[in-house]
Amino acid sequence: SIGIAFYPRDATGDLPRLLLNAEFALDHAKAEGGNGMHFFNPELAAAAERRRQLENDLRVAIREEQFVLFFQPIVDLLENRISGAEVLIRWNHPQRGLVSPNEFIPLAEDTGLIIDIGLWALDASGRQLARWRTEGRELSLSLNVSGRQIPAGLPVEVMRDALYRLGFRSEFLALEITEGVLLDDVEGA
């Protein structure tokens, strides 16, 4: 893969900037499957800056627990009742409001931050299950987890600890592995 930036057009008088811009072009060539070349354009630098800012914001979001869970009801049609819910995570960004998971989950997976986010979601989901149980509701939850969390980011010990600490039974929590990672690495899956 080759990334190309021209002097002086792509960085006037600034060798570090020229090399950085060539690296942006190289990253883009690799992202398109590798074994190719790409010329630098200013949009690459702007996209890299947006990604860097989003990653920094995501790190703050983890530290400050800016995530919120929504619960999409699961209905048992035979018994005509709500039997549980699918857990949906959203990022409540202090300036941008609710951020769609389509915007931050891929970045979290790429950077490894998905492990911390997933552990938070597991804990928050478990707390909700425990509240429902205290209220006399035997509802289940279905929590999406990234394949990047399995097995190292979500070890069995962590699951056992959550069950014990929060006091809910394992049959009330289903873990669903997001299909995107499975499609990326069918053999590993």
Side-chain angles (χ1 to χ4, degrees), residues 159-180:
M159 295 296 300
R160 277 193 204 122
D161 175 62
L163 292 170
Y164 177 76
R165 185 171 36 86
L166 300 169
F168 64 89
R169 296 193 322 259
S170 61
E171 60 264 24
F172 290 108
L173 180 65
L175 300 180
E176 294 184 24
I177 301 173
T178 53
E179 56 278 337

Side-chain angles (χ1 to χ4, degrees), residues 41-116:
N41 70 54
E43 291 174 16
L44 295 176
E49 177 56 28
R50 282 191 303 274
R51 179 182 165 94
R52 186 195 63 77
Q53 184 60 52
L54 188 63
E55 182 179 342
N56 288 342
D57 287 355
L58 197 51
R59 291 180 188 283
V60 171
I62 292 168
R63 188 173 54 249
E64 295 180 0
E65 295 186 357
Q66 295 175 355
F67 299 101
V68 62
L69 299 181
F70 288 84
F71 302 96
Q72 181 173 315
I74 297 172
V75 178
D76 182 333
L77 294 176
L78 293 175
E79 295 188 24
N80 196 27
R81 69 175 184 86
I82 294 175
S83 62
E86 180 177 0
V87 179
L88 306 173
I89 188 168
R90 298 294 183 266
W91 174 10
N92 192 12
H93 191 283
Q95 284 82 39
R96 296 173 58 196
L98 290 179
V99 178
S100 166
N102 294 340
E103 192 172 343
F104 70 89
I105 294 294
L107 176 62
E109 288 180 335
D110 288 347
T111 59
L113 296 173
I114 193 67
I115 292 173
D116 290 330

Side-chain angles (χ1 to χ4, degrees), residues 98-145:
L98 290 179
V99 178
S100 166
N102 294 340
E103 192 172 343
F104 70 89
I105 294 294
L107 176 62
E109 288 180 335
D110 288 347
T111 59
L113 296 173
I114 193 67
I115 292 173
D116 290 330
I117 293 169
L119 291 174
W120 177 86
L122 171 66
D123 196 64
S125 297
R127 287 193 309 268
Q128 181 62 56
L129 278 172
R131 274 193 297 276
W132 284 341
R133 183 174 179 177
T134 300
E135 295 168 358
R137 300 180 191 172
E138 296 222 348
L139 300 172
S140 63
L141 282 179
S142 175
L143 176 66
N144 288 327
V145 296

